[in-house]
Amino acid sequence: GVRDVLFLYEENRCSMTYMYEYPEYLKIKLPKKTARRYPAYELYLYGEGNYAEENKNLLLTGIPVLFLPGNAGSYKQVRSLGSIALRKAEDVDFKYHFNFFSVNFNEELVALYGGSLQRQTKFVHECIKVILKLYRGGEFAPSSVAIVGHSMGGLVARALLTLKSFKPELINLLITQATPHVAPVMPLDKYLTDFYTAVNNHWILKAQDLRNLTTLSVAGGFRDYQVRSGLAFLPRLSQHDSALSVVSSAVPRAWASTDHLSIVWCKELILATIRAFFDLVDENTRQITEDPKKRMSVLNHHFVRHPAKMFEENPEAFTELTGAFMWITVKASKWTYSVYNDSDGKYFTFPLASHRKSYSHVYCENSMLDTSSWIYGCMNTNSSMCLEAADLSWRAELLPTTKVVMLKLQDYPSLSHIVIQVPPADGNKYTLGCEFFEEDSRAVQLPVTHLFSFGLSSSKILLNSTGLLYNVQLQHFNQIYQAFKIYIESQCQSPKERKPSIYRLHIPWSHEDSITVAQVPSLAEISAKLHIAQPHNDSSLPELNIYSSPDCQYEVSNTKWSYPFILVFQIVRFHAGAFPVYIVSNILLTYGGQLNTLRSTGQCSDFSLELIRTAKPYKVEPLISIVVFLQGFNWFREIWESLSLPEVDAAVLSSQDAWFPLVSLILFLFGTGIAYWSGVFFSTSLRLFSSLWLTLIRPTILQKDKLITPRRLCGMISLALVCWSTCGAFAVLIIYLQYLFKPVHVCVTSVFHFQDSGHSKETSQNSSTHTVKAQSSGDSIPDATQSPSNSTTVAEAVNSLKMHITILNLFTWIVLLSLPSLIYWFKNLRYNVRLDPDPCRPTAIILVCILEILMNSSTSEVKSSKLLKIAAKVPLPLSVAMLAFGRMHLYRVPHFVTFSLLLHVLCCIV
């Protein structure tokens, strides 16, 4: 599953963008107060060549666009947008142009540490004020700024509207690229999840106030394994009709999935964005139009359905068909025409009266990919010629190798003819085709593999193509866990050259179509996977549109064997972020089992054996499922809320249609496997380090020591001060490295004493032999038998060693979950020694005190404790709580582990 997510996706079909002149970044001077408050952040203006030189005096006359980089992103990523916009401005002789600004966020890891998101948002607000001041006094001075945000930069842009002092009219257009709008990819701290909650709640509650802001979210598709496309879809609101979410694979003239970084430089996608920017300009104000309807029309034109025509706000309803063209009447229901070096233009007319009774639809295609009109509707009923007609080219749709239009005859009762215009070819070669058909004759249903078939069923249909279009309806394909492969094999009777076939997987409830172009004959493979599930109020069916070659046979099948593997792919893709929760839950169950064994037998069991015995999904999953079921009832929900308990994460995921029962079981099994092999890794590493240490250093003698000594108390206080004055994660890492040597030391001393014990035993046996001989000869020799205290000490050390390894295993995951804030702190150390806010500080102070005691403890103290029974029982409910409340809130995991270790410390004392 991991391999499929990271490596098995479509090849990169994006072209690289290049700068024609050397890119330059002009630093904009900020007000002193702003610069002091945000010393790590900067604002730049992008430029190239002469354009950069002209802008050094900052006398700007263009349209301001602000680029916001994302997690660890660079302000220099603006260069693709800025360079192509500059070339486009040159094409229109700088009638209007765009000034691209970019913010330097110091490449902060805001996707992993949410403490700086609010700071970034406030800085962007200050930047907008500075940018608008640069245009003050100009002839066409802007009153708003357009924003392009990559990754978390898009979320920061949306957060601007949550600021009390922010005026919504300061931005009228927001384009986000691969931004996780729904939820954080890895919810590693409370500041991150709270920030998301505040932004999304504001956009839902204040939806009416956002009508003047047009928002476009572009997701990367399956190549983007960092931010899955389902997270990039903006919240659906019936009253909020100025937001649009698309996947890059469905964007016209791009039709390519992008990874998380290539989305900022993918030439096809950047071209679509810049074309949209120029079409958004108001001729009168020389700024982006204030009309929300026009903005949405432009975005739909370039990002949803492109009619292969230049954008026009109000296209003429009727047009005159002029030119000395030949008029030819076509009465057949199916027609194809090839054009090559035709010097004369032609009009082909298709009378509709004879076709309305037999057919419901007409479909036409044209492989000439220019932007001129080519299909018209005529209302003349008396003449074979049509001087004035409705331009139906706006109903067309652009595909990779052709432009197509399908009309339902019932929707055009006033039309008498369809007219196809064929201009002189001038050396070009292209083909046209039209056919009338009954809708039912071209719709074929294909049952798809469902969850409980376990991939044991497959379906196959055969299409003997005599037409140009077929629609294969995929029945019951509406959930994200449904994933399978569709194979389309095309075979033709004659070997003549044919146009390529186009296969489009069309998802009607979201703009996430994917297009495959295949030569004929060939075998094409299409991965059928959803980014978001079908809404409950939507009954439409996904379709596989086959734009076929005539006289070819198409066999469509979905194979059974591919299903289990792609199901795992979907689970990994949608829920890999929850792996740490399931791993720690397994380790915690094992830890509880070891304490229970210690209580009942006096011996601590081995980690791997205890994991196999104790970590069972039926101990934790049923209770969570029952709670999720009961939360569907109002009375239970009221009781739950009265107790101030947070909502169960599984219920939230179910409401987002991203959850089903088997997911938790599979994730738990993944967690068991990873926990098992991590235990094996720890044990193996321990043996290696111990062997190395034993060859280099003679170990000290095992001796009993007090749990709390003045030296250790000073260590606790010192690390607590480090927590408070610098970074909590830094103190956690220090105590972790200190603890890491404890098991090695115990292991080495145990081995040494075991060897020493064996040597003593051997000496004792030899002494006994000499004693017998001495007694037989009458000599008196003292007794040399070994005391049992030595072997008891070694056994106790082995028990302690096993317990230390489990605690260290738990603690390793706490360190890993706190690493992002440590990296952020270390990277910003030159600006501030103290991390503020610090999500790890409270937990870190407690952990430092706990682990300073635990690393010097042994199982002998725990065995005699009155609290051992409670400490052994608590890990089970903590594991349940961790899976219930930690899947979407990873920062809660250390809290559960800390509570369990705190009980262990109390067992050592009480």
Side-chain angles (χ1 to χ4, degrees), residues 101-278:
F101 297 84
S102 184
V103 173
N104 179 15
F105 284 135
N106 195 31
E107 300 184 7
E108 291 178 338
L109 297 171
V110 286
L112 304 177
Y113 169 74
S116 63
L117 283 168
Q118 195 68 23
R119 191 183 306 122
Q120 286 190 1
T121 306
K122 292 177 179 178
F123 179 73
V124 172
H125 185 198
E126 297 301 322
C127 287
I128 291 173
K129 295 177 186 176
V130 171
I131 290 169
L132 292 177
K133 281 182 182 178
L134 295 175
Y135 295 86
R136 190 173 292 173
E139 184 181 357
F140 298 103
S143 59
S144 61
V145 175
I147 296 181
V148 178
H150 172 239
S151 188
M152 294 298 288
L155 187 72
V156 169
R158 288 180 62 211
L160 285 168
L161 296 155
T162 65
L163 299 177
K164 292 181 180 179
S165 59
F166 184 79
K167 298 176 181 178
E169 58 269 18
L170 290 180
I171 52 174
N172 57 14
L173 177 66
L174 170 60
I175 298 178
T176 66
Q177 302 170 327
T179 296
H181 292 292
V182 177
V185 177
M186 294 290 285
L188 291 171
D189 68 60
K190 193 174 187 298
Y191 304 112
L192 190 59
T193 55
D194 287 351
F195 189 82
Y196 265 91
T197 303
V199 172
N200 285 329
N201 285 348
H202 182 88
W203 276 59
I204 291 170
L205 297 173
K206 304 289 184 179
Q208 293 290 349
D209 301 336
L210 301 176
R211 287 187 175 275
N212 289 326
L213 172 62
T214 303
T215 310
L216 168 68
S217 174
V218 183
F222 289 109
R223 278 187 64 86
D224 188 352
Y225 59 82
Q226 294 183 48
V227 176
R228 61 179 178 85
S229 297
L231 294 177
F233 279 74
L234 291 160
R236 293 185 175 184
L237 301 170
S238 56
Q239 69 271 27
H240 186 39
D241 54 1
S242 59
L244 180 64
S245 301
V246 298
V247 179
S248 61
S249 60
V251 175
R253 305 173 80 171
W255 298 300
S257 177
T258 64
D259 60 57
H260 196 63
L261 288 179
S262 69
I263 199 169
V264 301
W265 56 255
C266 178
K267 185 177 180 180
E268 289 76 9
L269 206 55
I270 298 299
L271 283 170
T273 305
I274 297 302
R275 290 186 190 115
F277 268 127
F278 276 83

Side-chain angles (χ1 to χ4, degrees), residues 721-784:
L721 287 173
V722 170
C723 279
W724 188 258
S725 59
T726 58
C727 171
F730 182 51
V732 168
L733 182 63
I734 292 172
I735 195 74
Y736 174 73
L737 295 175
Q738 190 179 343
Y739 201 148
L740 207 54
F741 287 100
K742 179 66 180 180
V744 176
H745 176 67
V746 174
C747 185
V748 169
T749 48
S750 301
V751 171
F752 175 74
H753 279 271
F754 181 75
Q755 291 173 347
D756 190 47
S757 171
H759 178 70
S760 300
K761 186 176 180 181
E762 186 180 339
T763 306
S764 173
Q765 289 173 348
N766 292 335
S767 300
S768 299
T769 306
H770 288 298
T771 302
V772 171
K773 290 180 179 179
Q775 286 174 346
S776 64
S777 61
D779 298 330
S780 60
I781 304 292
D783 186 20

Side-chain angles (χ1 to χ4, degrees), residues 69 90 199 215 219 280 295 397 403 576 690 883:
E90 289 174 351
V199 172
T215 310
L280 285 165
R295 292 198 296 260
E397 182 175 12
K403 48 190 179 184
S690 302
L883 293 184

Side-chain angles (χ1 to χ4, degrees), residues 671-709:
T672 307
I674 296 170
Y676 178 86
W677 288 108
S678 67
V680 171
F681 173 77
F682 266 104
S683 301
T684 307
S685 302
L686 188 64
R687 291 169 189 264
L688 290 173
F689 282 115
S690 302
S691 302
L692 183 63
W693 194 338
L694 198 59
T695 57
L696 298 175
I697 305 170
R698 181 179 178 85
T700 57
I701 298 172
L702 279 170
Q703 56 184 2
K704 187 74 175 174
D705 197 3
K706 291 183 179 180
L707 281 175
I708 302 174
T709 63

Side-chain angles (χ1 to χ4, degrees), residues 539-559:
S539 59
S540 55
L541 290 176
E543 290 183 339
L544 176 64
N545 305 134
I546 299 178
Y547 300 92
S548 58
S549 293
D551 305 321
C552 291
Q553 189 180 73
Y554 292 83
E555 184 180 89
V556 184
S557 61
N558 64 308
T559 58

Side-chain angles (χ1 to χ4, degrees), residues 27 71-72 114 129 139 149 262 272 316 337 395 421 463 566 664 698 709 713 774 795 857 860:
K27 187 176 178 179
N71 178 59
K129 295 177 186 176
E139 184 181 357
S262 69
E316 294 183 4
Y337 185 75
R395 307 286 183 185
Q421 181 181 5
L463 304 175
I566 305 183
S664 194
R698 181 179 178 85
T709 63
L713 199 59
S857 66
S860 59

